[in-house]
Amino acid sequence: MAQSAELLSLSPPGWGGNLLRGLSHSLQIAFGAYALGLVIGLFGAYGKLYGGKVTRDLLAIYTTVIRAVPELVLILILYYVGSDIINKISAAMGGGRVEVSGVGAGIWVLGIVQGAYATEVLRGAIQAVPPGQIEAAKSFGMPAFMTMRRVTIPAMMSFAVPGLANLWLIATKDTALLAVVGFNELTLETRQAASSTRAYFTFFLAAGFLYLMVTLFSGGIFARIEKWARRGQPSLKGGSR
Amino acid sequence: MHNCEIRGLLQAEIRRILDMDTAKAVSPTPETTTPDEAIKVEDLHKSFGTLEVLKGVSLTANKGDVVAIIGGSGSGKSTMLRCINFLETPNSGKITIGGELVEMHADGSPSNRRQIERIRTRLAMVFQQFNLWTHRTLLENVIEVPVHVLKVPKTEAIARAHELLERVGLGDKADTYPAYLSGGQQQRAAIARALAVDPSVMLFDEPTSALDPELVGEVLTVIRDLAAEGRTMLLVTHEMKFAREVANHVVYLFEGRIEEQGPPAEVFGNPKSERLKQFLSSVA
Ligand SMILES: Nc1ncnc2c1ncn2[C@@H]1O[C@H](COP(=O)(O)OP(=O)(O)OP(=O)(O)O)[C@@H](O)[C@H]1O
Ligand SMILES: [Mg+2]
């Protein structure tokens, strides 16, 4: 026990600092990827619902392919293809090899994956908004973009939040997959600590604990967001507002 | 806090008075056409696929008119009302709102988005299903369009919204969400929302059809009030007694055509068309 505490201590020779650094990297990527995924998802959902035939076909290919291929494979493809393209462009412009930043690459790769799922979550949520509410906005001369901002998006939130909460948790856990491209997020840091000290059990338990804390904390935050998004809707349990 | 509210009220009042003055100052309107025309619809056609719903409808409503539109289910009443503010795209015809001809493409779609948005702000619609924004309180519903579309200062819009909610008997419900209200209360709130844009014409599409019978009266009272103060209204309704009482012009629509129209006493008291006679006896 005392030995474990020593191993996990924040300052060297303990490995706790490394784990926390890994966690911070993981969270940075998760945040960035999630935000990027939401932006892609919003455009994707509107494109799928209101876009022309070409837009809709392209988006259908995007969401189908991304959701069909295992994430690990996608990460390998997007990471290596992405850095290859960047290097080719750099070479063409007379530059040297570019070192692709781990966080940046992670955000792009996971963000593109998240975007496909977010597109579907948001598309469903937008379709669940009673059309009369959008029609009312239109009938008062509200321009289309303002209607989206003031009516559609707030009204769809209550339908979208549960799905978006799931996506966030998936984002935090998918960061672990970036270990395969050598990015030092929480899982890779844990593996390094464990193999250097042979204390596999201690370190993986600690990492598991950290992931669990993230999940619990996120759960609390999303419960609040959901409560806010559902404002104005009587709860099924009855009672007051 | 209180001071603020009072100031807001005063400002709103002053603005209204000033507005009246400017309206008076320019009162000999430069329009060459009859200045009293609020809405003029000419030869309106509308089909859904192969189903022709409106087969050439023409209708004029002058300022202060209350036009009741009656007719059987599927006769095209809603479609006509919705074509007027282009919630449906007509196939052909001419629509003139307050002397301004709506620019249309050959296929009937509005060709000037800004014009149609501007005109819509003067045509407030009240729907059968209320269509309040459920994630906003009544107050927020009422100030939404004035603040965000018409760019009225927020304090002024809030003061006016309180007045309007008071007027429809919902003064104490300003901070309540629509889902916690009865249908009648929601519809009265929807009327307050429509009044908040100070519309030149109000369009009602069966405002009481979704209500329980005991709630119909409270909504009709509000509409009756509006008619009495000289609001221009187009009112689709199945309440024949009410139509007879508040309207000064009644239009009977049958299968996409105006079968008969005239003053209520004529249309209800002395119908000429066989179909109208049948219709009136079936709803009586
Ligand atoms: N969006 C639409 N697509 C296809 N058909 C439609 C559409 N809207 C209305 N219709 C059809 O057009 C016809 C006229 O409908 P409309 O809603 O104008 O009738 P109404 O006179 O308002 O009837 P009600 O009293 O039942 O409201 C009906 O046959 C209806 O089925
Ligand atoms: Mg109808």
Side-chain angles (χ1 to χ4, degrees):
Chain A
M1 201 61 218
Q3 202 189 356
S4 287
E6 205 170 290
L7 282 172
L8 287 170
S9 104
L10 291 184
S11 49
W15 292 78
N18 290 31
L19 291 201
L20 286 186
R21 190 155 7 94
L23 175 66
S24 137
H25 282 152
S26 288
L27 288 179
Q28 276 175 40
I29 294 178
F31 264 122
Y34 190 61
L36 179 61
L38 285 182
V39 172
I40 296 176
L42 197 57
F43 279 103
Y46 266 91
K48 271 199 165 186
L49 289 173
Y50 303 107
K53 177 136 178 52
V54 179
T55 314
R56 274 180 300 160
D57 285 350
L58 287 177
L59 285 168
I61 293 170
Y62 165 63
T63 52
T64 310
V65 168
I66 296 285
R67 293 185 304 158
V69 179
E71 261 128 81
L72 189 56
V73 178
L74 279 175
I75 284 166
L76 290 169
I77 294 174
L78 288 173
Y79 183 80
Y80 288 115
V81 171
S83 41
D84 199 43
I85 289 174
I86 288 173
N87 276 311
K88 287 235 170 76
I89 292 171
S90 160
M93 295 190 347
R97 252 196 89 75
V98 187
E99 198 52 56
V100 182
S101 122
V103 173
I107 288 176
W108 274 103
V109 173
L110 285 187
I112 289 171
V113 175
Q114 287 265 315
Y117 290 90
T119 297
E120 291 305 310
V121 170
L122 295 177
R123 181 180 62 82
I126 291 172
Q127 278 181 309
V129 175
Q133 294 196 26
I134 296 167
E135 198 159 72
K138 208 169 150 186
S139 79
F140 281 106
M142 200 182 267
F145 185 72
M146 190 190 285
T147 303
M148 164 173 152
R149 198 164 52 79
R150 301 281 318 166
V151 176
T152 315
I153 291 179
M156 73 157 186
M157 280 301 272
S158 64
F159 303 108
V161 170
L164 294 181
N166 268 337
L167 277 187
W168 163 251
L169 292 181
I170 292 172
T172 60
K173 280 186 263 292
D174 274 4
T175 56
L177 297 174
L178 291 170
V180 294
V181 289
F183 180 64
N184 56 344
E185 45 62 64
L186 178 56
T187 299
L188 189 61
E189 291 283 2
T190 308
R191 209 169 62 194
Q192 282 167 354
S195 54
S196 316
T197 59
R198 308 248 153 236
Y200 289 98
F201 188 70
T202 306
F203 282 111
F204 278 103
L205 204 63
F209 174 76
L210 288 178
Y211 281 119
L212 179 66
M213 290 321 284
V214 170
T215 302
L216 290 178
F217 184 68
S218 311
I221 302 254
F222 273 102
R224 284 185 169 211
I225 295 178
E226 187 166 347
K227 194 164 165 232
W228 166 82
R230 290 183 58 85
R231 71 195 181 286
Q233 300 179 23
S235 86
L236 292 176
K237 279 181 287 181
S240 68
R241 76 203 61 161
Chain B
M1 192 64 218
H2 256 99
N3 260 332
C4 235
E5 274 173 35
I6 291 165
R7 227 184 30 223
L9 276 170
L10 273 177
Q11 276 170 355
E13 206 51 48
I14 289 167
R15 208 166 275 255
R16 207 155 332 123
I17 292 164
L18 287 178
D19 276 349
M20 271 179 194
D21 274 340
T22 52
K24 263 188 216 135
V26 296
S27 68
T29 28
E31 285 154 14
T32 46
T33 53
T34 35
D36 298 351
E37 266 171 23
I39 288 188
K40 187 167 176 184
V41 176
E42 289 163 272
D43 199 26
L44 189 67
H45 286 260
K46 169 67 183 173
S47 305
F48 291 109
T50 56
L51 176 70
E52 195 176 13
V53 176
L54 296 178
K55 302 168 184 164
V57 173
S58 300
L59 181 84
T60 306
N62 289 329
K63 286 189 184 133
D65 273 356
V66 177
V67 178
I69 299 156
I70 59 172
S73 185
S75 55
K77 306 181 296 295
S78 299
T79 307
M80 188 184 94
L81 212 60
R82 292 162 57 81
C83 279
I84 288 174
N85 65 5
F86 287 81
L87 284 182
E88 298 292 355
T89 307
N91 294 100
S92 66
K94 270 165 76 177
I95 295 176
T96 314
I97 312 282
E100 184 177 351
L101 179 71
V102 180
E103 298 165 35
M104 280 162 59
H105 287 300
D107 66 354
S109 56
S111 57
N112 182 342
R113 189 176 51 82
R114 279 173 190 276
Q115 185 199 29
I116 195 68
E117 281 169 4
R118 181 162 45 75
I119 282 178
R120 278 175 177 158
T121 62
R122 312 207 303 253
L123 301 173
M125 187 138 180
V126 175
F127 299 85
Q128 183 174 350
Q129 300 295 340
F130 332 131
N131 292 347
L132 290 169
W133 296 301
T134 49
H135 55 283
R136 301 195 189 284
T137 61
L138 292 198
L139 183 77
E140 290 167 343
N141 265 280
V142 176
I143 66 170
E144 179 69 21
V145 178
V147 169
H148 291 94
V149 180
L150 303 174
K151 312 292 179 202
V152 174
K154 197 163 177 185
T155 45
E156 189 179 312
I158 290 175
R160 174 109 172 98
H162 280 297
E163 277 172 42
L164 290 171
L165 286 172
E166 198 69 55
R167 162 156 194 201
V168 299
L170 294 169
D172 56 336
K173 301 283 188 201
D175 297 323
T176 307
Y177 287 98
Y180 295 91
L181 299 174
S182 74
Q185 290 173 319
Q186 290 192 48
Q187 192 60 297
R188 285 185 278 142
I191 293 173
R193 174 176 71 173
L195 287 171
V197 303
D198 204 5
S200 56
V201 181
M202 297 183 79
L203 308 174
F204 289 86
D205 189 2
E206 299 194 34
T208 57
S209 295
L211 300 179
D212 291 338
E214 73 268 24
L215 300 177
V216 169
E218 61 189 55
V219 173
L220 293 186
T221 306
V222 171
I223 299 175
R224 189 180 290 121
D225 247 37
L226 295 173
E229 77 175 29
R231 292 254 169 207
T232 313
M233 315 199 276
L234 258 55
L235 171 70
V236 173
T237 185
H238 283 302
E239 304 279 334
M240 296 302 149
K241 250 183 71 206
F242 183 68
R244 184 170 193 163
E245 177 197 336
V246 300
N248 62 345
H249 191 81
V250 179
V251 173
Y252 171 60
L253 218 55
F254 179 81
E255 291 184 355
R257 285 200 180 86
I258 294 182
E259 174 88 3
E260 188 167 338
Q261 59 180 322
E266 287 290 311
V267 171
F268 290 112
N270 184 21
K272 296 188 181 51
S273 125
E274 272 318 306
R275 287 169 182 147
L276 176 55
K277 280 180 196 163
Q278 261 180 28
F279 173 72
L280 289 175
S281 64
S282 73
V283 294

